[in-house]
Amino acid sequence: MDRQGARAVPSLRYVLNHTPFWNKRFIENPAERLLEGEDPPTGGLGWDGRFNTLHDQATFPLLAANEMANTGAEDVAAKLKRASYADEFRALFGVQVFDDPARAYAQALTAIERFELEDPSFHPYSSKYDDYLDGRVQLTTQEERGRALFDDPKRGNCASCHLDRKGANGSHPLFTDYQFEALGVPRNPEILANTSASYFDMGLCGPLRKDQSAQLKFCGLFKTPTLRNVATRAVFFHNGRFHTLKEALRFYVRRDTDPQLWYPVSSGKVCKFDDLPPALRGNADVIDEPLTRKPGMAPAWTDAEIDDVVAFLQTLSDRDVASVN
């Protein structure tokens, strides 16, 4: 318990093993269209999309030195064999399952995957907004204002990535388009790895994802997370730089109008996008609203309007989850 991770933990709720190929069919935003036809990466789980299934994703926390710190399949299998539910594991996967640690480990990954996909607690669709979509409740006046601001393509423009409408088949939205975005989130001094001036978490091109390390145009891009239950979180963005929902939204709409609030100032110049190496800071999105504005311009939302958006986002919390914002 003495090793710190370098990323905020993304939610596993509502992932539903949805890992689309990131190709021309999914590239809709102007900033992402710049990458069209460039053989972009595939996969969809994790901030850098490096896992193709929940089965694969489960290997990371089990084996990561700063998480469960198992040394390999043998270590996991030995712990399963000593677990209180070992007999249930044998009943499901065979009485001799522990004779082959690799098999026991693989079956454990399968069990985790099936739990995440099949247990209703992972995708209950029990929020006020789900009830609203089904016509069972009405949003308050403030929540409606927040939703309008969330949807407005000339202001918040949130719904362009965090889709909030029913699907053609009537399915309820997951509030993500599964694409990747470079928001230029400020460097987080709470991350110990950031004490090294040479360390940068660049998402799709490393350091955890290896297969796209040569694709410099992907550096700084992270997967768009679901906003379901976002009001229950205590950290926001891939590096956990912000600790309240209001603070995260304020950064989003004032990143470019008031950059000195978020980034270091050196010799009178604001060092924007300081969590990327200087040569790669041009990857940050400056094309999509509201990330197109200049210093001194009015932010897309006032503080009162941010409160309205927070009120709307609180309607996305499932009934069994308490809000912390």
Side-chain angles (χ1 to χ4, degrees), residues 12 45 51 53-64 68 105 108-110 112-113 116:
L12 284 173
L45 294 171
F51 302 112
T53 65
L54 287 166
H55 187 282
D56 296 332
Q57 185 275 331
T59 63
F60 181 70
L62 284 169
L63 303 182
M68 297 185 74
Y105 176 62
L109 298 178
T110 297
I112 293 170
E113 178 184 45
E116 292 169 337

Side-chain angles (χ1 to χ4, degrees), residues 2-323:
D2 61 353
R3 298 190 182 188
Q4 185 195 63
R7 289 179 179 170
V9 179
S11 175
L12 284 173
R13 281 195 175 199
Y14 296 101
V15 289
L16 302 181
N17 243 3
H18 195 129
T19 57
F21 287 93
W22 188 36
N23 59 25
K24 294 181 182 180
R25 287 189 300 117
F26 289 90
I27 296 174
E28 298 171 354
N29 293 338
E32 291 155 347
R33 281 201 295 271
L34 296 177
L35 305 176
E36 190 170 352
E38 296 288 343
D39 191 24
T42 61
L45 294 171
W47 282 111
D48 52 18
R50 70 190 184 279
F51 302 112
N52 289 322
T53 65
L54 287 166
H55 187 282
D56 296 332
Q57 185 275 331
T59 63
F60 181 70
L62 284 169
L63 303 182
N66 57 15
E67 294 201 42
M68 297 185 74
N70 293 293
T71 58
E74 295 80 4
D75 200 3
V76 175
K79 291 177 180 177
L80 288 171
K81 190 175 182 178
R82 298 193 300 270
S84 60
Y85 50 84
D87 286 341
E88 295 175 75
F89 199 84
R90 291 187 184 94
L92 184 60
F93 296 117
V95 293
Q96 298 184 344
V97 65
F98 295 118
D99 294 347
D100 182 352
R103 177 173 170 244
Y105 176 62
Q107 297 290 24
L109 298 178
T110 297
I112 293 170
E113 178 184 45
R114 299 321 304 175
F115 172 72
E116 292 169 337
L117 290 174
E118 296 173 10
D119 192 282
S121 69
F122 270 75
H123 34 85
Y125 296 98
S126 63
S127 71
K128 179 177 181 178
Y129 190 67
D130 290 302
D131 290 341
Y132 166 77
L133 289 177
D134 288 338
R136 292 195 291 268
V137 300
Q138 293 296 315
L139 299 182
T140 67
T141 301
Q142 184 181 32
E143 291 163 354
E144 284 282 12
R145 289 199 306 264
R147 185 188 182 199
L149 291 162
F150 184 93
D151 287 346
D152 189 342
K154 296 182 179 180
R155 300 188 70 189
N157 197 31
C158 310
S160 65
C161 293
H162 300 283
L163 311 181
D164 63 349
R165 304 297 173 89
K166 280 188 176 182
N169 62 352
S171 60
H172 284 207
L174 299 181
F175 283 83
T176 176
D177 61 1
Y178 297 99
Q179 294 183 13
F180 297 81
E181 173 77 348
L183 288 177
V185 178
R187 197 166 178 85
N188 186 355
E190 297 176 5
I191 296 175
L192 297 179
N194 283 340
T195 59
S196 170
S198 62
Y199 174 82
F200 293 97
D201 186 350
M202 296 184 287
L204 283 175
C205 71
L208 296 179
R209 184 166 186 167
K210 307 296 186 183
D211 61 317
Q212 301 295 324
S213 59
Q215 302 296 321
L216 298 184
K217 59 186 172 294
F218 297 151
C219 294
L221 274 71
F222 293 86
K223 187 183 173 187
T224 299
T226 176
L227 293 185
R228 283 183 171 272
N229 295 302
V230 68
T232 71
R233 297 188 64 81
V235 292
F236 298 87
F237 300 112
H238 69 278
N239 63 1
R241 172 61 175 79
F242 299 106
H243 293 278
T244 69
L245 183 53
K246 185 170 183 176
E247 186 183 23
L249 294 176
R250 190 165 177 255
F251 162 73
Y252 179 63
V253 297
R254 299 183 69 174
R255 186 197 76 175
D256 302 290
T257 61
D258 302 274
Q260 72 281 357
L261 296 175
W262 323 110
Y263 302 106
V265 179
S266 177
S267 301
K269 184 179 180 180
V270 180
C271 301
K272 288 182 69 174
F273 315 138
D274 63 323
D275 208 25
L276 280 172
L280 298 173
R281 291 173 186 172
N283 288 356
D285 184 357
V286 294
I287 296 174
D288 292 308
E289 293 292 349
L291 307 175
T292 64
R293 306 192 179 205
K294 307 297 181 185
M297 294 177 65
W301 298 331
T302 65
D303 284 349
E305 288 172 327
I306 289 175
D307 289 338
D308 292 342
V309 177
V310 169
F312 167 64
L313 293 176
Q314 287 173 336
T315 71
L316 308 185
S317 297
D318 291 316
R319 281 190 288 270
D320 63 328
V321 181
S323 174

